[in-house]
Coordinates of all heavy atoms in Angstrom, one line a residue:
V742 N 109.3 -2.9 52.0 CA 110.3 -2.0 51.6 C 109.8 -1.1 50.5 O 109.4 -1.7 49.4 CB 111.6 -2.7 51.3 CG1 112.7 -1.7 50.9 CG2 112.0 -3.5 52.6
V743 N 109.9 0.2 50.6 CA 109.6 1.1 49.6 C 110.7 1.7 48.8 O 110.6 1.9 47.6 CB 108.7 2.2 50.2 CG1 108.3 3.3 49.2 CG2 107.4 1.7 50.9
D744 N 111.7 2.0 49.6 CA 112.9 2.7 48.9 C 114.2 2.3 49.6 O 114.3 2.0 50.9 CB 112.7 4.2 49.0 CG 113.7 5.1 48.2 OD1 114.0 4.5 47.2 OD2 114.1 6.0 48.8
L745 N 115.3 2.2 48.9 CA 116.6 2.0 49.3 C 117.5 3.1 49.1 O 117.5 3.6 47.9 CB 117.2 0.7 48.7 CG 116.5 -0.7 49.1 CD1 116.8 -1.6 47.9 CD2 117.1 -1.2 50.3
T746 N 118.3 3.5 50.0 CA 119.3 4.7 49.8 C 120.6 4.2 50.4 O 120.7 3.7 51.4 CB 118.8 5.9 50.6 OG1 117.5 6.2 50.2 CG2 119.7 7.0 50.2
V747 N 121.7 4.5 49.6 CA 123.1 4.2 50.1 C 123.7 5.5 50.2 O 123.8 6.3 49.4 CB 123.8 3.3 49.0 CG1 125.3 3.1 49.4 CG2 123.2 2.0 48.7
T748 N 124.4 5.7 51.5 CA 125.1 7.0 51.8 C 126.4 6.5 52.3 O 126.6 5.4 52.8 CB 124.3 7.7 52.9 OG1 124.2 6.9 54.0 CG2 123.1 8.3 52.4
R749 N 127.4 7.4 52.1 CA 128.7 7.1 52.4 C 129.5 8.4 52.9 O 129.5 9.4 52.1 CB 129.6 6.4 51.3 CG 129.0 5.2 50.7 CD 129.7 4.8 49.5 NE 130.9 4.2 49.9 CZ 131.9 3.9 49.1 NH1 131.8 4.2 47.8 NH2 133.0 3.4 49.5
T750 N 129.9 8.4 54.2 CA 130.7 9.6 54.6 C 132.1 9.4 54.1 O 132.5 8.5 53.5 CB 130.7 9.6 56.1 OG1 131.4 8.4 56.7 CG2 129.3 9.7 56.7
L751 N 132.9 10.5 54.3 CA 134.3 10.4 53.8 C 135.0 9.3 54.4 O 135.8 8.5 53.8 CB 135.0 11.7 54.1 CG 136.5 11.7 53.8 CD1 136.7 11.5 52.3 CD2 137.1 13.1 54.2
L752 N 134.8 9.1 55.8 CA 135.5 8.0 56.5 C 135.0 6.6 56.0 O 135.8 5.8 55.8 CB 135.2 8.2 58.0 CG 136.2 7.3 58.9 CD1 137.6 7.7 58.7 CD2 135.7 7.6 60.4
Q753 N 133.8 6.5 55.7 CA 133.2 5.3 55.2 C 133.9 4.9 53.8 O 134.1 3.8 53.5 CB 131.7 5.3 55.1 CG 131.0 5.1 56.4 CD 129.5 5.2 56.4 OE1 128.9 6.0 55.6 NE2 128.8 4.4 57.0
R754 N 133.9 6.0 53.0 CA 134.6 5.8 51.6 C 136.0 5.4 51.8 O 136.5 4.5 51.0 CB 134.4 7.0 50.9 CG 133.0 7.3 50.4 CD 132.9 8.4 49.3 NE 133.8 9.4 49.2 CZ 133.6 10.7 49.4 NH1 132.5 11.1 49.5 NH2 134.6 11.5 49.2
L755 N 136.8 5.9 52.7 CA 138.2 5.7 52.9 C 138.3 4.1 53.3 O 139.3 3.4 52.8 CB 138.8 6.5 54.0 CG 139.1 7.8 53.6 CD1 139.6 8.7 54.9 CD2 140.1 8.0 52.5
F756 N 137.4 3.6 54.0 CA 137.4 2.1 54.5 C 136.5 1.2 53.7 O 136.3 0.0 54.0 CB 137.1 2.1 56.0 CG 138.2 2.7 56.8 CD1 138.2 3.8 57.4 CD2 139.3 1.8 57.1 CE1 139.2 4.5 58.1 CE2 140.4 2.4 58.0 CZ 140.3 3.7 58.4
G757 N 135.8 1.7 52.7 CA 135.1 0.8 51.9 C 133.8 0.4 52.4 O 133.3 -0.7 52.3
L758 N 133.1 1.3 53.3 CA 131.9 1.0 54.0 C 130.7 1.9 53.4 O 131.0 2.9 52.8 CB 132.1 1.3 55.5 CG 133.1 0.5 56.2 CD1 133.4 0.9 57.6 CD2 132.8 -1.0 56.3
S759 N 129.5 1.4 53.8 CA 128.3 2.3 53.4 C 127.2 2.1 54.5 O 127.3 1.1 55.2 CB 127.8 1.7 52.1 OG 128.7 1.8 51.0
T760 N 126.3 3.0 54.3 CA 125.1 2.9 55.2 C 123.9 2.8 54.2 O 123.8 3.6 53.3 CB 125.0 4.1 56.0 OG1 126.0 4.3 57.0 CG2 123.6 4.1 56.8
I761 N 123.2 1.7 54.4 CA 122.0 1.5 53.5 C 120.8 1.7 54.4 O 120.6 1.1 55.4 CB 122.0 0.0 53.1 CG1 123.3 -0.4 52.3 CG2 120.8 -0.2 52.2 CD1 123.4 -1.8 52.0
T762 N 119.9 2.7 53.9 CA 118.7 3.1 54.5 C 117.5 2.5 53.8 O 117.4 2.8 52.6 CB 118.5 4.6 54.7 OG1 119.7 5.1 55.4 CG2 117.3 4.9 55.6
L763 N 116.6 1.7 54.5 CA 115.4 1.2 53.8 C 114.2 1.9 54.4 O 114.1 1.9 55.6 CB 115.3 -0.4 54.2 CG 116.3 -1.3 53.6 CD1 117.7 -1.3 54.3 CD2 115.8 -2.7 53.5
E764 N 113.5 2.5 53.6 CA 112.3 3.2 53.9 C 111.2 2.0 53.7 O 111.1 1.3 52.8 CB 112.0 4.2 53.0 CG 112.9 5.4 53.0 CD 112.9 6.2 54.2 OE1 111.8 6.3 55.0 OE2 113.9 6.7 54.6
T765 N 110.5 1.9 54.9 CA 109.5 0.7 54.9 C 108.1 1.2 55.4 O 108.0 2.4 55.9 CB 110.0 -0.4 56.0 OG1 109.9 0.2 57.2 CG2 111.4 -0.8 55.6
R766 N 107.1 0.4 55.2 CA 105.8 0.5 55.6 C 105.6 -0.4 56.8 O 104.6 -1.1 57.0 CB 104.7 0.3 54.6 CG 104.8 1.3 53.5 CD 104.4 2.7 53.9 NE 104.3 3.6 52.9 CZ 104.8 4.8 53.0 NH1 105.4 5.3 54.0 NH2 104.7 5.5 51.9
D767 N 106.6 -0.4 57.7 CA 106.6 -1.2 58.9 C 106.6 -0.4 60.2 O 107.6 0.3 60.4 CB 107.8 -2.2 58.9 CG 107.9 -3.2 60.0 OD1 106.7 -3.7 60.3 OD2 108.9 -3.4 60.6
Q768 N 105.5 -0.4 60.9 CA 105.4 0.4 62.1 C 106.3 0.0 63.2 O 106.9 0.9 64.0 CB 104.0 0.4 62.7 CG 103.0 1.0 61.7 CD 101.6 0.8 62.2 OE1 101.3 0.2 63.2 NE2 100.6 1.5 61.6
S769 N 106.8 -1.2 63.3 CA 107.6 -1.6 64.4 C 109.1 -1.0 64.2 O 109.7 -0.7 65.3 CB 107.8 -3.1 64.5 OG 108.5 -3.6 63.5
S770 N 109.5 -0.7 63.0 CA 110.8 -0.1 62.9 C 110.7 1.5 62.7 O 111.7 2.0 62.5 CB 111.4 -0.7 61.6 OG 110.7 -0.4 60.4
G771 N 109.5 2.0 62.9 CA 109.4 3.4 62.8 C 109.5 3.9 61.2 O 109.7 5.1 61.0
G772 N 109.3 3.0 60.3 CA 109.3 3.4 58.9 C 110.7 3.5 58.3 O 110.9 3.7 57.1
Q773 N 111.8 3.1 59.1 CA 113.2 3.1 58.5 C 114.0 2.1 59.2 O 113.9 1.9 60.4 CB 113.8 4.5 58.8 CG 114.5 5.1 57.7 CD 115.0 6.4 58.1 OE1 115.6 6.7 59.2 NE2 115.1 7.4 57.2
L774 N 114.7 1.4 58.3 CA 115.7 0.4 58.8 C 117.0 0.8 58.3 O 117.2 0.9 57.1 CB 115.2 -0.9 58.3 CG 116.0 -2.2 58.9 CD1 115.6 -2.3 60.4 CD2 115.5 -3.5 58.2
V775 N 117.9 1.0 59.1 CA 119.3 1.5 58.7 C 120.4 0.4 59.0 O 120.5 -0.1 60.1 CB 119.7 2.7 59.6 CG1 121.0 3.3 59.2 CG2 118.6 3.8 59.4
L776 N 121.0 0.0 58.0 CA 122.2 -0.9 58.0 C 123.5 -0.1 57.9 O 123.8 0.3 56.9 CB 122.1 -1.9 56.9 CG 120.7 -2.6 56.6 CD1 120.8 -3.5 55.4 CD2 120.2 -3.4 57.9
R777 N 124.1 0.1 59.1 CA 125.3 0.9 59.1 C 126.6 0.1 58.9 O 126.7 -1.0 59.4 CB 125.3 1.6 60.5 CG 124.4 2.7 60.7 CD 124.5 3.4 62.1 NE 123.6 4.6 62.1 CZ 122.3 4.6 62.3 NH1 121.8 3.3 62.6 NH2 121.6 5.7 62.5
N778 N 127.5 0.8 58.3 CA 128.8 0.3 58.1 C 128.9 -1.1 57.5 O 129.5 -2.1 58.0 CB 129.7 0.3 59.4 CG 129.9 1.7 59.8 OD1 129.9 2.7 59.0 ND2 130.2 1.9 61.1
V779 N 128.3 -1.2 56.3 CA 128.2 -2.4 55.5 C 129.3 -2.4 54.5 O 129.5 -1.4 53.8 CB 126.8 -2.5 54.8 CG1 126.7 -3.7 53.9 CG2 125.7 -2.6 55.8
I780 N 130.0 -3.6 54.4 CA 131.1 -3.7 53.3 C 130.3 -4.0 52.0 O 129.3 -4.8 52.0 CB 132.1 -4.9 53.7 CG1 132.7 -4.6 55.0 CG2 133.0 -5.1 52.6 CD1 133.6 -5.7 55.5
H781 N 130.8 -3.5 50.9 CA 130.3 -3.6 49.6 C 128.9 -3.1 49.5 O 128.0 -3.9 49.0 CB 130.4 -5.0 49.1 CG 131.8 -5.6 49.1 ND1 132.8 -5.1 48.4 CD2 132.3 -6.6 49.8 CE1 134.0 -5.7 48.7 NE2 133.6 -6.7 49.6
G782 N 128.5 -2.0 50.0 CA 127.2 -1.5 50.1 C 126.4 -1.4 48.9 O 125.2 -1.7 48.8
F783 N 127.0 -1.1 47.6 CA 126.2 -1.0 46.4 C 125.9 -2.5 45.9 O 124.7 -2.7 45.4 CB 127.0 -0.3 45.3 CG 127.2 1.1 45.6 CD1 128.4 1.6 46.1 CD2 126.1 2.1 45.5 CE1 128.5 2.9 46.4 CE2 126.2 3.4 45.8 CZ 127.5 3.9 46.2
E784 N 126.7 -3.5 46.1 CA 126.3 -4.9 45.8 C 125.3 -5.3 46.7 O 124.4 -6.0 46.2 CB 127.6 -5.7 45.9 CG 128.6 -5.5 44.9 CD 129.9 -6.2 45.1 OE1 129.9 -7.3 45.7 OE2 131.0 -5.7 44.7
V785 N 125.4 -4.9 47.9 CA 124.3 -5.4 49.0 C 123.0 -4.8 48.6 O 122.0 -5.4 48.6 CB 124.8 -5.0 50.4 CG1 123.6 -5.3 51.3 CG2 126.0 -5.8 50.8
R786 N 123.0 -3.5 48.2 CA 121.8 -2.8 47.8 C 121.2 -3.6 46.6 O 119.9 -3.8 46.6 CB 122.0 -1.4 47.4 CG 120.6 -0.7 47.2 CD 120.9 0.4 46.1 NE 121.3 0.1 44.8 CZ 120.5 -0.4 43.9 NH1 119.3 -0.6 44.1 NH2 120.9 -0.7 42.7
R787 N 121.9 -4.0 45.6 CA 121.4 -4.7 44.5 C 120.7 -6.1 45.0 O 119.7 -6.5 44.5 CB 122.4 -5.0 43.4 CG 122.7 -3.8 42.6 CD 123.6 -4.1 41.3 NE 125.1 -4.3 41.7 CZ 125.9 -3.3 41.9 NH1 125.5 -2.2 41.7 NH2 127.2 -3.6 42.1
V788 N 121.5 -6.7 45.9 CA 120.9 -8.1 46.4 C 119.6 -7.8 47.2 O 118.6 -8.6 46.9 CB 121.9 -8.7 47.4 CG1 121.3 -9.9 48.0 CG2 123.1 -9.2 46.6

């Protein structure tokens, strides 16, 4: 994993959800792993 990004649409913010995008050097995932609609996204990003 090279980079982590947390994004939140307006609807996600209303319901307390986040999307966490992991930039990776893993060819099987195409260089990106996306965790959509995660509860407590900023805490999960820290973990």
Side-chain angles (χ1 to χ4, degrees):
V742 174
V743 178
D744 189 39
L745 291 155
T746 304
V747 177
T748 55
R749 301 174 77 195
T750 64
L751 178 61
L752 195 58
Q753 284 178 319
R754 289 194 333 239
L755 289 174
F756 287 99
L758 302 170
S759 301
T760 296
I761 302 172
T762 305
L763 290 82
E764 296 292 331
T765 68
R766 293 292 184 226
D767 183 40
Q768 293 179 350
S769 69
S770 64
Q773 226 180 37
L774 190 62
V775 181
L776 312 179
R777 286 184 174 78
N778 293 341
V779 172
I780 296 175
H781 306 298
F783 293 103
E784 292 173 27
V785 172
R786 187 209 61 82
R787 282 191 285 275
V788 171

